[in-house]
Amino acid sequence: MTTFGEKQSRDYDQRATRLLGGLYRRIAADIDAAAHPGAGVLDVGTGPGKMLALLYSRRPDLRLHGVDLSSHMIDLADAALSGSPAELSVGDVAALPYPDDSFDLVVSSLSMHEWPEIDRAIAELARVSRPGGTVAIYDFRFTRSAAAQRALRHSFEAVTVRREPVRPRWHPIGMYLRLTARAA
Ligand SMILES: C[S@@+](CC[C@H](N)C(=O)[O-])C[C@H]1O[C@@H](n2cnc3c(N)ncnc32)[C@H](O)[C@@H]1O
């Protein structure tokens, strides 16, 4: 398991600002369209919190939470979200620091490929999702999405798990995918 240290987190923050704005805008727009007023949203592996900061500027009504294994990433996310009521925590996707049924929407971007135990991680996403809640995982297209899809079907008892290509505006090639499932 990689833990982002201080320098690695700072470097990632700078690269993310330059390269990932289109993906963050796309994810924030997807959440904006799906979330009811005041909905609780958890971003797992939030990194430097760029997507949450963008989401806050679009939807200040949402209850935003971010969790990440790296305390350095959480420090950066704290800075990106200063002035917002977003709550940020250091924690592992395999043992999320939230009670059952906490969130309407659980999202994650570019983090799943780093999770060593995909079944356990996805069982945790299901545990913290409210009945009827949605999970949306965005990651690189070449990640182990078949295992993740199986785990989503199992953990959410989801009727449908969708796997779709994601191509943010201006991106020349489709590098990303989105897996979505709705909790029973
Ligand atoms: C490539 S970064 C992506 C950050 C952000 N979501 C984004 O899209 O820019 C991957 C993040 O996942 C976090 N991460 C990796 N394994 C994790 C785990 N087991 N639990 C929680 N976060 C994890 C890393 O610390 C890192 O911040």
Side-chain angles (χ1 to χ4, degrees), residues 1-4 12 16 20 23-24 27 43-51 67-70 73 91-94 108-111 113-116 140:
M1 184 185 327
T2 359
T3 306
F4 280 73
Y12 183 84
L20 293 173
L23 179 64
Y24 299 147
I27 298 172
D43 185 20
V44 178
T46 193
K50 301 275 177 211
M51 192 287 293
V67 64
D68 200 284
L69 195 57
S70 161
M73 285 293 201
D92 189 337
V93 65
S108 181
S109 60
L110 309 185
S111 184
H113 63 271
E114 296 181 13
W115 303 343
F140 297 109

PDB file of all heavy atoms in Angstrom, residues 1-4 12 16 20 23-24 27 43-51 67-70 73 91-94 108-111 113-116 140, ligand 1:
ATOM      1  N   MET A   1       0.860  -1.191   0.000  1.00  0.00           N
ATOM      2  CA  MET A   1       0.000   0.000   0.000  1.00  0.00           C
ATOM      3  C   MET A   1       0.904   1.251   0.000  1.00  0.00           C
ATOM      4  O   MET A   1       1.829   1.327   0.783  1.00  0.00           O
ATOM      5  CB  MET A   1      -0.868  -0.038   1.270  1.00  0.00           C
ATOM      6  CG  MET A   1      -1.860   1.062   1.346  1.00  0.00           C
ATOM      7  SD  MET A   1      -2.778   1.096   2.920  1.00  0.00           S
ATOM      8  CE  MET A   1      -2.932  -0.595   3.399  1.00  0.00           C
ATOM      9  N   THR A   2       0.636   2.202  -0.908  1.00  0.00           N
ATOM     10  CA  THR A   2       1.449   3.429  -0.917  1.00  0.00           C
ATOM     11  C   THR A   2       0.796   4.447   0.019  1.00  0.00           C
ATOM     12  O   THR A   2      -0.397   4.655  -0.041  1.00  0.00           O
ATOM     13  CB  THR A   2       1.401   4.127  -2.298  1.00  0.00           C
ATOM     14  OG1 THR A   2       0.603   3.365  -3.181  1.00  0.00           O
ATOM     15  CG2 THR A   2       2.756   4.413  -2.844  1.00  0.00           C
ATOM     16  N   THR A   3       1.628   5.070   0.842  1.00  0.00           N
ATOM     17  CA  THR A   3       1.090   6.193   1.606  1.00  0.00           C
ATOM     18  C   THR A   3       1.784   7.423   1.068  1.00  0.00           C
ATOM     19  O   THR A   3       3.004   7.440   0.932  1.00  0.00           O
ATOM     20  CB  THR A   3       1.373   6.048   3.106  1.00  0.00           C
ATOM     21  OG1 THR A   3       0.877   4.785   3.499  1.00  0.00           O
ATOM     22  CG2 THR A   3       0.661   7.122   3.900  1.00  0.00           C
ATOM     23  N   PHE A   4       1.000   8.428   0.722  1.00  0.00           N
ATOM     24  CA  PHE A   4       1.578   9.645   0.179  1.00  0.00           C
ATOM     25  C   PHE A   4       2.262  10.412   1.310  1.00  0.00           C
ATOM     26  O   PHE A   4       1.622  10.836   2.259  1.00  0.00           O
ATOM     27  CB  PHE A   4       0.495  10.502  -0.471  1.00  0.00           C
ATOM     28  CG  PHE A   4       0.114  10.032  -1.862  1.00  0.00           C
ATOM     29  CD1 PHE A   4      -0.630   8.883  -2.052  1.00  0.00           C
ATOM     30  CD2 PHE A   4       0.524  10.761  -2.981  1.00  0.00           C
ATOM     31  CE1 PHE A   4      -0.974   8.448  -3.329  1.00  0.00           C
ATOM     32  CE2 PHE A   4       0.189  10.332  -4.260  1.00  0.00           C
ATOM     33  CZ  PHE A   4      -0.561   9.173  -4.435  1.00  0.00           C
ATOM     34  N   TYR A  12       1.833  15.899  -5.936  1.00  0.00           N
ATOM     35  CA  TYR A  12       0.553  15.465  -6.523  1.00  0.00           C
ATOM     36  C   TYR A  12      -0.420  16.639  -6.607  1.00  0.00           C
ATOM     37  O   TYR A  12      -1.100  16.833  -7.617  1.00  0.00           O
ATOM     38  CB  TYR A  12      -0.067  14.330  -5.694  1.00  0.00           C
ATOM     39  CG  TYR A  12      -1.354  13.834  -6.328  1.00  0.00           C
ATOM     40  CD1 TYR A  12      -1.327  12.893  -7.345  1.00  0.00           C
ATOM     41  CD2 TYR A  12      -2.587  14.359  -5.958  1.00  0.00           C
ATOM     42  CE1 TYR A  12      -2.491  12.481  -7.973  1.00  0.00           C
ATOM     43  CE2 TYR A  12      -3.759  13.956  -6.574  1.00  0.00           C
ATOM     44  CZ  TYR A  12      -3.702  13.006  -7.572  1.00  0.00           C
ATOM     45  OH  TYR A  12      -4.861  12.619  -8.201  1.00  0.00           O
ATOM     46  N   ALA A  16      -2.125  17.732  -9.927  1.00  0.00           N
ATOM     47  CA  ALA A  16      -3.586  17.631 -10.012  1.00  0.00           C
ATOM     48  C   ALA A  16      -4.177  18.961 -10.475  1.00  0.00           C
ATOM     49  O   ALA A  16      -5.090  19.002 -11.304  1.00  0.00           O
ATOM     50  CB  ALA A  16      -4.159  17.228  -8.653  1.00  0.00           C
ATOM     51  N   LEU A  20      -5.822  17.678 -13.798  1.00  0.00           N
ATOM     52  CA  LEU A  20      -7.042  16.918 -13.513  1.00  0.00           C
ATOM     53  C   LEU A  20      -8.301  17.771 -13.361  1.00  0.00           C
ATOM     54  O   LEU A  20      -9.345  17.257 -12.980  1.00  0.00           O
ATOM     55  CB  LEU A  20      -6.831  16.075 -12.239  1.00  0.00           C
ATOM     56  CG  LEU A  20      -5.795  14.954 -12.388  1.00  0.00           C
ATOM     57  CD1 LEU A  20      -5.519  14.293 -11.040  1.00  0.00           C
ATOM     58  CD2 LEU A  20      -6.284  13.902 -13.388  1.00  0.00           C
ATOM     59  N   LEU A  23     -11.453  16.401 -15.066  1.00  0.00           N
ATOM     60  CA  LEU A  23     -12.068  15.251 -14.387  1.00  0.00           C
ATOM     61  C   LEU A  23     -12.818  15.708 -13.138  1.00  0.00           C
ATOM     62  O   LEU A  23     -13.948  15.295 -12.887  1.00  0.00           O
ATOM     63  CB  LEU A  23     -10.988  14.218 -14.019  1.00  0.00           C
ATOM     64  CG  LEU A  23     -11.508  12.983 -13.290  1.00  0.00           C
ATOM     65  CD1 LEU A  23     -12.455  12.167 -14.174  1.00  0.00           C
ATOM     66  CD2 LEU A  23     -10.363  12.096 -12.794  1.00  0.00           C
ATOM     67  N   TYR A  24     -12.202  16.598 -12.364  1.00  0.00           N
ATOM     68  CA  TYR A  24     -12.874  17.086 -11.151  1.00  0.00           C
ATOM     69  C   TYR A  24     -14.179  17.809 -11.500  1.00  0.00           C
ATOM     70  O   TYR A  24     -15.183  17.655 -10.802  1.00  0.00           O
ATOM     71  CB  TYR A  24     -11.970  18.032 -10.357  1.00  0.00           C
ATOM     72  CG  TYR A  24     -10.683  17.416  -9.858  1.00  0.00           C
ATOM     73  CD1 TYR A  24      -9.532  18.176  -9.754  1.00  0.00           C
ATOM     74  CD2 TYR A  24     -10.622  16.080  -9.485  1.00  0.00           C
ATOM     75  CE1 TYR A  24      -8.350  17.621  -9.290  1.00  0.00           C
ATOM     76  CE2 TYR A  24      -9.441  15.517  -9.029  1.00  0.00           C
ATOM     77  CZ  TYR A  24      -8.305  16.290  -8.932  1.00  0.00           C
ATOM     78  OH  TYR A  24      -7.141  15.750  -8.477  1.00  0.00           O
ATOM     79  N   ILE A  27     -16.806  15.187 -12.297  1.00  0.00           N
ATOM     80  CA  ILE A  27     -17.324  14.489 -11.107  1.00  0.00           C
ATOM     81  C   ILE A  27     -18.241  15.423 -10.306  1.00  0.00           C
ATOM     82  O   ILE A  27     -19.334  15.024  -9.875  1.00  0.00           O
ATOM     83  CB  ILE A  27     -16.163  13.969 -10.223  1.00  0.00           C
ATOM     84  CG1 ILE A  27     -15.316  12.960 -11.007  1.00  0.00           C
ATOM     85  CG2 ILE A  27     -16.700  13.338  -8.944  1.00  0.00           C
ATOM     86  CD1 ILE A  27     -14.027  12.529 -10.301  1.00  0.00           C
ATOM     87  N   ASP A  43     -16.134  11.678   0.063  1.00  0.00           N
ATOM     88  CA  ASP A  43     -15.119  11.443  -0.974  1.00  0.00           C
ATOM     89  C   ASP A  43     -14.003  10.601  -0.353  1.00  0.00           C
ATOM     90  O   ASP A  43     -13.310  11.062   0.559  1.00  0.00           O
ATOM     91  CB  ASP A  43     -14.574  12.796  -1.462  1.00  0.00           C
ATOM     92  CG  ASP A  43     -13.594  12.648  -2.619  1.00  0.00           C
ATOM     93  OD1 ASP A  43     -13.609  11.590  -3.295  1.00  0.00           O
ATOM     94  OD2 ASP A  43     -12.807  13.587  -2.855  1.00  0.00           O
ATOM     95  N   VAL A  44     -13.866   9.377  -0.832  1.00  0.00           N
ATOM     96  CA  VAL A  44     -12.902   8.423  -0.246  1.00  0.00           C
ATOM     97  C   VAL A  44     -11.580   8.496  -1.012  1.00  0.00           C
ATOM     98  O   VAL A  44     -11.561   8.365  -2.234  1.00  0.00           O
ATOM     99  CB  VAL A  44     -13.475   6.990  -0.310  1.00  0.00           C
ATOM    100  CG1 VAL A  44     -12.473   5.992   0.253  1.00  0.00           C
ATOM    101  CG2 VAL A  44     -14.788   6.902   0.465  1.00  0.00           C
ATOM    102  N   GLY A  45     -10.483   8.706  -0.291  1.00  0.00           N
ATOM    103  CA  GLY A  45      -9.184   8.930  -0.949  1.00  0.00           C
ATOM    104  C   GLY A  45      -9.198  10.309  -1.581  1.00  0.00           C
ATOM    105  O   GLY A  45      -8.800  10.485  -2.724  1.00  0.00           O
ATOM    106  N   THR A  46      -9.634  11.278  -0.791  1.00  0.00           N
ATOM    107  CA  THR A  46      -9.890  12.629  -1.334  1.00  0.00           C
ATOM    108  C   THR A  46      -8.616  13.343  -1.776  1.00  0.00           C
ATOM    109  O   THR A  46      -8.669  14.296  -2.556  1.00  0.00           O
ATOM    110  CB  THR A  46     -10.670  13.468  -0.294  1.00  0.00           C
ATOM    111  OG1 THR A  46     -11.180  14.643  -0.910  1.00  0.00           O
ATOM    112  CG2 THR A  46      -9.801  13.870   0.903  1.00  0.00           C
ATOM    113  N   GLY A  47      -7.451  12.859  -1.305  1.00  0.00           N
ATOM    114  CA  GLY A  47      -6.195  13.511  -1.700  1.00  0.00           C
ATOM    115  C   GLY A  47      -6.205  14.966  -1.275  1.00  0.00           C
ATOM    116  O   GLY A  47      -6.625  15.304  -0.152  1.00  0.00           O
ATOM    117  N   PRO A  48      -5.756  15.879  -2.160  1.00  0.00           N
ATOM    118  CA  PRO A  48      -5.670  17.290  -1.765  1.00  0.00           C
ATOM    119  C   PRO A  48      -7.013  18.027  -1.790  1.00  0.00           C
ATOM    120  O   PRO A  48      -7.038  19.261  -1.671  1.00  0.00           O
ATOM    121  CB  PRO A  48      -4.684  17.871  -2.781  1.00  0.00           C
ATOM    122  CG  PRO A  48      -4.777  16.981  -3.971  1.00  0.00           C
ATOM    123  CD  PRO A  48      -5.162  15.622  -3.486  1.00  0.00           C
ATOM    124  N   GLY A  49      -8.115  17.289  -1.946  1.00  0.00           N
ATOM    125  CA  GLY A  49      -9.442  17.880  -1.770  1.00  0.00           C
ATOM    126  C   GLY A  49      -9.915  18.780  -2.902  1.00  0.00           C
ATOM    127  O   GLY A  49     -10.882  19.533  -2.746  1.00  0.00           O
ATOM    128  N   LYS A  50      -9.267  18.672  -4.073  1.00  0.00           N
ATOM    129  CA  LYS A  50      -9.610  19.577  -5.188  1.00  0.00           C
ATOM    130  C   LYS A  50     -11.057  19.408  -5.645  1.00  0.00           C
ATOM    131  O   LYS A  50     -11.761  20.381  -5.897  1.00  0.00           O
ATOM    132  CB  LYS A  50      -8.730  19.292  -6.410  1.00  0.00           C
ATOM    133  CG  LYS A  50      -7.269  19.426  -6.171  1.00  0.00           C
ATOM    134  CD  LYS A  50      -6.878  20.853  -6.332  1.00  0.00           C
ATOM    135  CE  LYS A  50      -5.421  21.025  -6.015  1.00  0.00           C
ATOM    136  NZ  LYS A  50      -5.108  22.317  -5.465  1.00  0.00           N
ATOM    137  N   MET A  51     -11.487  18.143  -5.788  1.00  0.00           N
ATOM    138  CA  MET A  51     -12.843  17.922  -6.275  1.00  0.00           C
ATOM    139  C   MET A  51     -13.865  18.421  -5.255  1.00  0.00           C
ATOM    140  O   MET A  51     -14.850  19.075  -5.611  1.00  0.00           O
ATOM    141  CB  MET A  51     -13.034  16.427  -6.598  1.00  0.00           C
ATOM    142  CG  MET A  51     -14.303  16.107  -7.368  1.00  0.00           C
ATOM    143  SD  MET A  51     -15.824  16.217  -6.422  1.00  0.00           S
ATOM    144  CE  MET A  51     -15.619  14.855  -5.269  1.00  0.00           C
ATOM    145  N   VAL A  67     -12.082  11.655   3.258  1.00  0.00           N
ATOM    146  CA  VAL A  67     -11.212  10.797   4.075  1.00  0.00           C
ATOM    147  C   VAL A  67     -10.033  10.359   3.222  1.00  0.00           C
ATOM    148  O   VAL A  67     -10.182  10.158   2.009  1.00  0.00           O
ATOM    149  CB  VAL A  67     -12.009   9.590   4.642  1.00  0.00           C
ATOM    150  CG1 VAL A  67     -12.525   8.670   3.555  1.00  0.00           C
ATOM    151  CG2 VAL A  67     -11.202   8.810   5.654  1.00  0.00           C
ATOM    152  N   ASP A  68      -8.867  10.258   3.844  1.00  0.00           N
ATOM    153  CA  ASP A  68      -7.677   9.808   3.121  1.00  0.00           C
ATOM    154  C   ASP A  68      -6.719   9.147   4.103  1.00  0.00           C
ATOM    155  O   ASP A  68      -6.638   9.541   5.268  1.00  0.00           O
ATOM    156  CB  ASP A  68      -6.978  10.987   2.425  1.00  0.00           C
ATOM    157  CG  ASP A  68      -6.070  10.531   1.295  1.00  0.00           C
ATOM    158  OD1 ASP A  68      -4.967  10.012   1.581  1.00  0.00           O
ATOM    159  OD2 ASP A  68      -6.480  10.664   0.118  1.00  0.00           O
ATOM    160  N   LEU A  69      -5.996   8.152   3.585  1.00  0.00           N
ATOM    161  CA  LEU A  69      -5.010   7.434   4.389  1.00  0.00           C
ATOM    162  C   LEU A  69      -3.846   8.333   4.790  1.00  0.00           C
ATOM    163  O   LEU A  69      -3.218   8.108   5.820  1.00  0.00           O
ATOM    164  CB  LEU A  69      -4.489   6.272   3.521  1.00  0.00           C
ATOM    165  CG  LEU A  69      -3.720   5.148   4.165  1.00  0.00           C
ATOM    166  CD1 LEU A  69      -4.537   4.483   5.266  1.00  0.00           C
ATOM    167  CD2 LEU A  69      -3.363   4.113   3.092  1.00  0.00           C
ATOM    168  N   SER A  70      -3.547   9.333   3.962  1.00  0.00           N
ATOM    169  CA  SER A  70      -2.359  10.166   4.189  1.00  0.00           C
ATOM    170  C   SER A  70      -2.721  11.450   4.942  1.00  0.00           C
ATOM    171  O   SER A  70      -3.535  12.249   4.476  1.00  0.00           O
ATOM    172  CB  SER A  70      -1.733  10.520   2.826  1.00  0.00           C
ATOM    173  OG  SER A  70      -0.889  11.641   2.956  1.00  0.00           O
ATOM    174  N   MET A  73      -1.992  14.517   2.790  1.00  0.00           N
ATOM    175  CA  MET A  73      -3.066  14.858   1.845  1.00  0.00           C
ATOM    176  C   MET A  73      -4.191  15.587   2.590  1.00  0.00           C
ATOM    177  O   MET A  73      -4.754  16.572   2.090  1.00  0.00           O
ATOM    178  CB  MET A  73      -3.617  13.602   1.174  1.00  0.00           C
ATOM    179  CG  MET A  73      -2.692  13.021   0.114  1.00  0.00           C
ATOM    180  SD  MET A  73      -2.536  14.129  -1.311  1.00  0.00           S
ATOM    181  CE  MET A  73      -1.976  12.975  -2.573  1.00  0.00           C
ATOM    182  N   GLY A  91      -8.045   8.320   7.434  1.00  0.00           N
ATOM    183  CA  GLY A  91      -8.645   7.002   7.655  1.00  0.00           C
ATOM    184  C   GLY A  91      -8.427   6.114   6.460  1.00  0.00           C
ATOM    185  O   GLY A  91      -8.085   6.568   5.367  1.00  0.00           O
ATOM    186  N   ASP A  92      -8.646   4.819   6.688  1.00  0.00           N
ATOM    187  CA  ASP A  92      -8.423   3.788   5.670  1.00  0.00           C
ATOM    188  C   ASP A  92      -9.771   3.351   5.114  1.00  0.00           C
ATOM    189  O   ASP A  92     -10.709   3.121   5.891  1.00  0.00           O
ATOM    190  CB  ASP A  92      -7.718   2.609   6.356  1.00  0.00           C
ATOM    191  CG  ASP A  92      -7.223   1.559   5.375  1.00  0.00           C
ATOM    192  OD1 ASP A  92      -7.750   1.465   4.254  1.00  0.00           O
ATOM    193  OD2 ASP A  92      -6.297   0.808   5.766  1.00  0.00           O
ATOM    194  N   VAL A  93      -9.841   3.203   3.798  1.00  0.00           N
ATOM    195  CA  VAL A  93     -11.092   2.737   3.186  1.00  0.00           C
ATOM    196  C   VAL A  93     -11.498   1.377   3.757  1.00  0.00           C
ATOM    197  O   VAL A  93     -12.692   1.051   3.772  1.00  0.00           O
ATOM    198  CB  VAL A  93     -10.963   2.677   1.638  1.00  0.00           C
ATOM    199  CG1 VAL A  93      -9.935   1.640   1.200  1.00  0.00           C
ATOM    200  CG2 VAL A  93     -12.304   2.381   0.973  1.00  0.00           C
ATOM    201  N   ALA A  94     -10.530   0.608   4.244  1.00  0.00           N
ATOM    202  CA  ALA A  94     -10.849  -0.723   4.774  1.00  0.00           C
ATOM    203  C   ALA A  94     -11.486  -0.659   6.170  1.00  0.00           C
ATOM    204  O   ALA A  94     -11.962  -1.679   6.678  1.00  0.00           O
ATOM    205  CB  ALA A  94      -9.586  -1.581   4.827  1.00  0.00           C
ATOM    206  N   SER A 108     -15.395   8.324  -5.163  1.00  0.00           N
ATOM    207  CA  SER A 108     -13.950   8.165  -5.034  1.00  0.00           C
ATOM    208  C   SER A 108     -13.346   8.373  -6.407  1.00  0.00           C
ATOM    209  O   SER A 108     -13.905   7.915  -7.403  1.00  0.00           O
ATOM    210  CB  SER A 108     -13.634   6.755  -4.525  1.00  0.00           C
ATOM    211  OG  SER A 108     -12.235   6.616  -4.384  1.00  0.00           O
ATOM    212  N   SER A 109     -12.200   9.077  -6.468  1.00  0.00           N
ATOM    213  CA  SER A 109     -11.562   9.252  -7.777  1.00  0.00           C
ATOM    214  C   SER A 109     -10.078   8.917  -7.705  1.00  0.00           C
ATOM    215  O   SER A 109      -9.371   9.364  -6.791  1.00  0.00           O
ATOM    216  CB  SER A 109     -11.750  10.693  -8.285  1.00  0.00           C
ATOM    217  OG  SER A 109     -11.197  11.635  -7.406  1.00  0.00           O
ATOM    218  N   LEU A 110      -9.661   8.101  -8.646  1.00  0.00           N
ATOM    219  CA  LEU A 110      -8.249   7.736  -8.841  1.00  0.00           C
ATOM    220  C   LEU A 110      -7.606   7.165  -7.581  1.00  0.00           C
ATOM    221  O   LEU A 110      -6.403   7.312  -7.366  1.00  0.00           O
ATOM    222  CB  LEU A 110      -7.445   8.946  -9.352  1.00  0.00           C
ATOM    223  CG  LEU A 110      -8.021   9.685 -10.563  1.00  0.00           C
ATOM    224  CD1 LEU A 110      -7.060  10.777 -11.022  1.00  0.00           C
ATOM    225  CD2 LEU A 110      -8.347   8.739 -11.697  1.00  0.00           C
ATOM    226  N   SER A 111      -8.397   6.505  -6.760  1.00  0.00           N
ATOM    227  CA  SER A 111      -7.879   5.940  -5.513  1.00  0.00           C
ATOM    228  C   SER A 111      -8.036   4.418  -5.482  1.00  0.00           C
ATOM    229  O   SER A 111      -7.167   3.707  -4.968  1.00  0.00           O
ATOM    230  CB  SER A 111      -8.613   6.576  -4.315  1.00  0.00           C
ATOM    231  OG  SER A 111      -8.089   6.141  -3.089  1.00  0.00           O
ATOM    232  N   HIS A 113      -7.471   2.013  -7.408  1.00  0.00           N
ATOM    233  CA  HIS A 113      -6.366   1.154  -7.880  1.00  0.00           C
ATOM    234  C   HIS A 113      -5.292   0.981  -6.801  1.00  0.00           C
ATOM    235  O   HIS A 113      -4.431   0.131  -6.933  1.00  0.00           O
ATOM    236  CB  HIS A 113      -5.755   1.719  -9.177  1.00  0.00           C
ATOM    237  CG  HIS A 113      -5.131   3.066  -9.009  1.00  0.00           C
ATOM    238  ND1 HIS A 113      -5.840   4.246  -9.163  1.00  0.00           N
ATOM    239  CD2 HIS A 113      -3.879   3.437  -8.666  1.00  0.00           C
ATOM    240  CE1 HIS A 113      -5.027   5.268  -8.935  1.00  0.00           C
ATOM    241  NE2 HIS A 113      -3.838   4.810  -8.633  1.00  0.00           N
ATOM    242  N   GLU A 114      -5.377   1.772  -5.726  1.00  0.00           N
ATOM    243  CA  GLU A 114      -4.389   1.652  -4.638  1.00  0.00           C
ATOM    244  C   GLU A 114      -4.919   0.829  -3.462  1.00  0.00           C
ATOM    245  O   GLU A 114      -4.206   0.623  -2.496  1.00  0.00           O
ATOM    246  CB  GLU A 114      -3.989   3.047  -4.148  1.00  0.00           C
ATOM    247  CG  GLU A 114      -3.282   3.848  -5.212  1.00  0.00           C
ATOM    248  CD  GLU A 114      -2.852   5.234  -4.734  1.00  0.00           C
ATOM    249  OE1 GLU A 114      -2.876   5.490  -3.520  1.00  0.00           O
ATOM    250  OE2 GLU A 114      -2.504   6.036  -5.597  1.00  0.00           O
ATOM    251  N   TRP A 115      -6.183   0.399  -3.519  1.00  0.00           N
ATOM    252  CA  TRP A 115      -6.758  -0.320  -2.382  1.00  0.00           C
ATOM    253  C   TRP A 115      -6.352  -1.794  -2.442  1.00  0.00           C
ATOM    254  O   TRP A 115      -6.689  -2.481  -3.407  1.00  0.00           O
ATOM    255  CB  TRP A 115      -8.282  -0.208  -2.375  1.00  0.00           C
ATOM    256  CG  TRP A 115      -8.796   1.209  -2.342  1.00  0.00           C
ATOM    257  CD1 TRP A 115      -8.085   2.329  -2.001  1.00  0.00           C
ATOM    258  CD2 TRP A 115     -10.116   1.656  -2.669  1.00  0.00           C
ATOM    259  NE1 TRP A 115      -8.892   3.429  -2.104  1.00  0.00           N
ATOM    260  CE2 TRP A 115     -10.135   3.044  -2.509  1.00  0.00           C
ATOM    261  CE3 TRP A 115     -11.280   0.991  -3.082  1.00  0.00           C
ATOM    262  CZ2 TRP A 115     -11.284   3.805  -2.752  1.00  0.00           C
ATOM    263  CZ3 TRP A 115     -12.423   1.740  -3.321  1.00  0.00           C
ATOM    264  CH2 TRP A 115     -12.419   3.140  -3.146  1.00  0.00           C
ATOM    265  N   PRO A 116      -5.643  -2.283  -1.403  1.00  0.00           N
ATOM    266  CA  PRO A 116      -5.139  -3.655  -1.496  1.00  0.00           C
ATOM    267  C   PRO A 116      -6.236  -4.719  -1.417  1.00  0.00           C
ATOM    268  O   PRO A 116      -6.124  -5.759  -2.035  1.00  0.00           O
ATOM    269  CB  PRO A 116      -4.164  -3.771  -0.320  1.00  0.00           C
ATOM    270  CG  PRO A 116      -4.497  -2.654   0.605  1.00  0.00           C
ATOM    271  CD  PRO A 116      -5.188  -1.593  -0.188  1.00  0.00           C
ATOM    272  N   PHE A 140      -8.822   4.969 -13.382  1.00  0.00           N
ATOM    273  CA  PHE A 140      -8.284   4.748 -14.722  1.00  0.00           C
ATOM    274  C   PHE A 140      -8.989   3.554 -15.358  1.00  0.00           C
ATOM    275  O   PHE A 140      -9.352   2.603 -14.659  1.00  0.00           O
ATOM    276  CB  PHE A 140      -6.773   4.505 -14.651  1.00  0.00           C
ATOM    277  CG  PHE A 140      -6.019   5.681 -14.114  1.00  0.00           C
ATOM    278  CD1 PHE A 140      -5.442   5.639 -12.859  1.00  0.00           C
ATOM    279  CD2 PHE A 140      -5.927   6.851 -14.870  1.00  0.00           C
ATOM    280  CE1 PHE A 140      -4.757   6.742 -12.353  1.00  0.00           C
ATOM    281  CE2 PHE A 140      -5.247   7.957 -14.374  1.00  0.00           C
ATOM    282  CZ  PHE A 140      -4.659   7.904 -13.118  1.00  0.00           C
TER     283      PHE A 140
HETATM  284  C1  LIG B   1      -3.916   9.404  -6.891  1.00  0.00           C
HETATM  285  S1  LIG B   1      -4.542  10.075  -5.391  1.00  0.00           S
HETATM  286  C2  LIG B   1      -6.169  10.677  -5.876  1.00  0.00           C
HETATM  287  C3  LIG B   1      -6.613  11.800  -4.994  1.00  0.00           C
HETATM  288  C4  LIG B   1      -7.923  12.481  -5.406  1.00  0.00           C
HETATM  289  N1  LIG B   1      -9.067  11.623  -5.192  1.00  0.00           N
HETATM  290  C5  LIG B   1      -7.879  12.945  -6.828  1.00  0.00           C
HETATM  291  O1  LIG B   1      -8.702  12.490  -7.650  1.00  0.00           O
HETATM  292  O2  LIG B   1      -7.018  13.784  -7.131  1.00  0.00           O
HETATM  293  C6  LIG B   1      -4.967   8.601  -4.481  1.00  0.00           C
HETATM  294  C7  LIG B   1      -5.377   8.917  -3.047  1.00  0.00           C
HETATM  295  O3  LIG B   1      -5.930   7.749  -2.447  1.00  0.00           O
HETATM  296  C8  LIG B   1      -5.458   7.681  -1.115  1.00  0.00           C
HETATM  297  N2  LIG B   1      -5.535   6.293  -0.640  1.00  0.00           N
HETATM  298  C9  LIG B   1      -4.803   5.236  -1.072  1.00  0.00           C
HETATM  299  N3  LIG B   1      -5.128   4.141  -0.386  1.00  0.00           N
HETATM  300  C10 LIG B   1      -6.093   4.498   0.500  1.00  0.00           C
HETATM  301  C11 LIG B   1      -6.810   3.795   1.502  1.00  0.00           C
HETATM  302  N4  LIG B   1      -6.584   2.507   1.739  1.00  0.00           N
HETATM  303  N5  LIG B   1      -7.732   4.472   2.217  1.00  0.00           N
HETATM  304  C12 LIG B   1      -7.953   5.806   2.007  1.00  0.00           C
HETATM  305  N6  LIG B   1      -7.276   6.523   1.074  1.00  0.00           N
HETATM  306  C13 LIG B   1      -6.364   5.878   0.327  1.00  0.00           C
HETATM  307  C14 LIG B   1      -4.021   8.191  -1.218  1.00  0.00           C
HETATM  308  O4  LIG B   1      -3.487   8.590   0.032  1.00  0.00           O
HETATM  309  C15 LIG B   1      -4.176   9.329  -2.188  1.00  0.00           C
HETATM  310  O5  LIG B   1      -4.459  10.547  -1.554  1.00  0.00           O
END
